[in-house]
Amino acid sequence: MGVTDRRPRTVVGTSAFPEPGSTISRLGERLQIRIGFAELQTATGRVLIFEIPSRPVGVPVQAGAKFLVRSGDALRPMSADELRSIFEEVAPDYSAQVEPSASLEDLDSEAIETFRKQWKGRAGRRQLDALSAERLLADAELVTEEGVTIAALVLLGSERALSRLLPQSEVVFEYRSSDTVIAHQQRIEYRKGFLGILDQLWETINLRNEVITYQDGLFRREIPVMNEAVVREAVLNAVVHRDYRLPGSVFLRQYPRQLIVSSPGGFPPGINAQNILHRQSPRNRRIAEACARCGLVERSGQGADRMFEESLREGKAKPDYSAADDHQVTVVLNGEVRNPGFIRFLEKVSQERQLSFTVDDLLVLDALDNEFAIEPKLQPNLTRLVREGIVERVGRGRGVRHVLSRRFYSFLGRTGAYTRQLGLDRQTNKELLLKHIRESDRRGARLQDLQQVLPGLSRPQVQTLLRELRSEGRIRVEGLTRAARWFVVRPD
């Protein structure tokens, strides 16, 4: 709100909802969904930004006595077919189903004791030692009165049982010395309860885990290519959230500076590569709950936030889900340290100001450091970082941009890069003026029109940019004062 509907949209300001917090609270109570909100004070007026998330999986949003759906710019009631398709989104938990042919003898006794030990350590429940294996698994809902669940086989199954009953519950590891090499140098197929192979998987990956060394003042620091916490979370996500109704295996493909983890089935309903940090929808709830009991995963999330945070804190690229599709989820972990100075700066600021950076803060800083666009939902974090002096705002109005602070570039000894960042803003403004003058063609462009192109700049600032373009021989002016019109200089 506060922006025109017609394109090109401009900020006009709004005085609606003087206390937006209470409005958001009332909407949340009425719709039963959490609505994001940001309030921006720009040079040309106040803007309110409401972020309306997708409805929960399997739940249509009700307003009053109606279930509404958007149709263009209007709202209409949902049809019976549309409601039915939404309710059918919530499928039964496949991992909670019982495998009729399985028995307790199909579960690995060592894996069961590992589960007991980890659950006891997580919950501090010593009485778990006195429980029989059957009672322990029943309390964890891995075994029911009807029999052994798919979740029990995935986590605790023996190799023979999985080969017979659930052969797709397999993790395949491959190593290649280069991404251009077709043949693998090593291949291992792990078909056993996951609790019995997680440590083995990490040990196999860690055998070729190089260490990157960089200079930090007088000291040399080391960062492993593959971060153990990130790798474990990626593998856990692949096993816990894959679709076990499909025949494929989970694949780990390791290269000297990269690990690619792929699992069958697309993202769970409601999850995609863009919202994976902020939305949770476990496909195999019974497996996830068992892993949460022994401290491997948090029931409230998928571990993606930890993967992103650890990667960015080490100056590496964030986990890349861009190759995921409807048939498999693929995440690429890049182990190259792109900017060691970025790590040192975060540590220094954290120590000096007692600041704790969230994963969303790190995403903002990473985007600015690599000149990526910042997602709208990260706007509150951007505002906080500006307030802390870690990020600077350049320009005004529609022309506002954000750059990492002068202090950041000074810390890295890259003050020239800071000056270049500021210069990009000036050059961008000149190109916008030139584009408008070119589109004006034979009529020419008036100064008042050019001011509308850059509403964040004053009249003298626009005139200065026009003089620079004229001195560069790119534009010319005809007439004086208000009658003056600007034209592009065309080659003879």
Side-chain angles (χ1 to χ4, degrees):
M1 302 188 69
V3 179
T4 59
D5 290 334
R6 293 186 177 182
R7 299 176 185 273
R9 296 190 173 100
T10 59
V11 174
V12 294
T14 178
S15 58
F17 304 124
E19 295 183 4
S22 60
T23 302
I24 293 297
S25 177
R26 290 195 301 272
L27 285 173
E29 292 176 0
R30 182 180 178 187
L31 302 177
Q32 295 299 304
I33 57 176
R34 183 179 179 181
I35 297 174
F37 166 74
E39 182 177 14
L40 303 180
Q41 297 291 345
T42 73
T44 51
R46 172 174 173 263
V47 177
L48 302 180
I49 301 174
F50 296 89
E51 183 181 355
I52 314 300
S54 300
R55 57 172 175 75
V57 175
V59 181
V61 176
Q62 185 174 7
K66 297 180 180 179
F67 296 102
L68 300 177
V69 63
R70 179 166 292 282
S71 177
D73 290 336
L75 292 174
R76 62 171 176 80
M78 288 186 182
S79 67
D81 288 340
E82 288 172 324
L83 280 172
R84 188 181 303 111
S85 66
I86 291 176
F87 292 134
E88 289 176 351
E89 288 176 350
V90 182
D93 179 7
Y94 180 71
S95 70
Q97 296 182 23
V98 168
E99 170 51 58
S101 302
S103 64
L104 286 177
E105 285 69 32
D106 291 316
L107 304 182
D108 185 85
S109 58
E110 291 185 9
I112 294 174
E113 292 309 310
T114 297
F115 178 69
R116 185 197 304 272
K117 180 180 178 180
Q118 291 179 341
W119 188 6
K120 183 181 74 171
R122 172 73 170 178
R125 295 174 56 182
R126 295 183 179 179
Q127 59 269 34
L128 293 177
D129 285 332
L131 299 181
S132 65
E134 184 174 2
R135 179 59 189 276
L136 177 78
L137 299 179
D139 286 356
E141 299 182 291
L142 292 174
V143 172
T144 69
E145 293 180 358
E146 289 76 25
V148 176
T149 64
I150 297 294
L153 289 172
V154 170
L155 297 174
L156 308 169
S158 66
E159 183 176 356
R160 178 177 298 178
L162 290 179
S163 297
R164 178 170 56 92
L165 303 171
L166 199 66
Q168 65 267 41
S169 182
E170 175 185 62
V171 179
V172 178
F173 169 85
E174 294 180 350
Y175 177 81
R176 291 174 175 82
S177 58
S178 169
D179 56 7
T180 61
V181 175
I182 298 177
H184 49 74
Q185 278 76 50
Q186 183 182 20
R187 177 184 170 97
I188 306 175
E189 298 175 357
Y190 297 90
R191 186 177 292 170
K192 189 179 179 182
F194 182 63
L195 290 185
I197 66 171
L198 179 57
D199 289 340
Q200 295 177 34
L201 286 169
W202 166 246
E203 290 168 3
T204 301
I205 292 170
N206 198 37
L207 286 174
R208 296 184 176 90
N209 195 11
E210 299 179 22
V211 174
I212 298 174
T213 304
Y214 68 91
Q215 196 72 29
D216 183 6
L218 299 176
F219 305 97
R220 294 176 67 83
R221 299 184 60 177
E222 296 180 342
I223 293 180
V225 169
M226 290 293 114
N227 179 295
E228 181 177 359
V230 174
V231 170
R232 285 180 178 270
E233 290 292 349
V235 176
L236 275 165
N237 284 342
V239 171
V240 172
H241 301 292
R242 65 152 289 179
D243 192 340
Y244 284 96
R245 296 169 297 182
L246 301 178
S249 305
V250 171
F251 273 85
L252 309 182
R253 295 181 173 91
Q254 184 180 8
Y255 302 89
R257 295 294 173 98
Q258 192 178 77
L259 180 70
I260 302 175
V261 183
S262 301
S263 56
F267 287 110
I271 305 297
N272 55 49
Q274 288 70 46
N275 67 14
I276 192 170
L277 282 173
H278 304 96
R279 296 284 295 275
Q280 292 82 42
S281 178
R283 175 178 278 121
N284 303 296
R285 187 172 297 275
R286 190 63 56 87
I287 295 177
E289 289 173 349
C291 288
R293 282 188 170 93
C294 53
L296 291 177
V297 301
E298 296 294 335
R299 290 183 61 179
S300 61
Q302 299 181 4
D305 53 349
R306 185 178 185 187
M307 292 166 55
F308 276 70
E309 182 174 352
E310 292 285 344
S311 298
L312 293 173
R313 285 189 184 279
E314 291 187 340
K316 301 172 182 175
K318 60 187 179 183
D320 182 6
Y321 284 91
S322 61
D325 56 29
D326 293 339
H327 307 289
Q328 71 174 10
V329 174
T330 298
V331 59
V332 179
L333 306 177
N334 289 296
E336 196 73 51
V337 177
R338 299 174 301 172
N339 189 351
F342 187 75
I343 309 170
R344 302 198 308 272
F345 180 76
L346 292 179
E347 293 174 347
K348 184 176 180 63
V349 171
S350 297
Q351 293 171 358
E352 290 181 352
R353 302 192 181 186
Q354 300 300 304
L355 287 179
S356 178
F357 292 106
T358 67
V359 63
D360 285 346
D361 291 336
L362 295 173
L363 287 171
V364 170
L365 295 174
D366 179 68
L368 292 175
D369 189 35
N370 293 282
E371 300 181 24
F372 299 150
I374 297 175
E375 299 178 44
K377 62 187 175 186
L378 298 178
Q379 181 66 42
N381 301 84
L382 179 62
T383 302
R384 171 178 176 263
L385 294 170
V386 170
R387 187 170 60 248
E388 295 291 347
I390 300 169
V391 173
E392 294 179 8
R393 184 180 287 111
V394 180
R396 294 186 297 174
R398 285 197 302 170
V400 70
R401 292 174 57 251
H402 293 85
V403 299
L404 292 171
S405 67
R406 178 187 291 273
R407 183 187 178 203
F408 171 79
Y409 287 102
S410 297
F411 180 84
L412 300 183
R414 294 166 52 197
T415 53
Y418 174 80
T419 303
R420 181 181 65 84
Q421 288 283 355
L422 298 185
L424 282 177
D425 182 68
R426 188 177 194 84
Q427 189 60 36
T428 300
N429 287 338
K430 288 166 68 173
E431 292 299 327
L432 288 173
L433 291 175
L434 187 62
K435 181 177 183 294
H436 183 80
I437 295 171
R438 185 181 295 113
E439 291 174 350
S440 299
D441 199 22
R442 298 181 182 278
R443 301 188 314 274
R446 301 176 301 172
L447 178 59
Q448 62 195 69
D449 297 327
L450 294 170
Q451 284 184 264
Q452 294 176 12
V453 175
L454 301 173
L457 301 185
S458 65
R459 181 186 180 94
Q461 288 174 322
V462 173
Q463 289 174 319
T464 298
L465 295 177
L466 290 172
R467 285 195 295 269
E468 290 181 9
L469 286 169
R470 184 172 62 176
S471 66
E472 294 168 5
R474 304 173 74 182
I475 62 174
R476 60 185 176 83
V477 63
E478 293 182 5
L480 300 172
T481 61
R482 292 190 176 183
R485 291 182 179 270
W486 296 86
F487 299 86
V488 172
V489 174
R490 301 186 183 279
D492 296 334

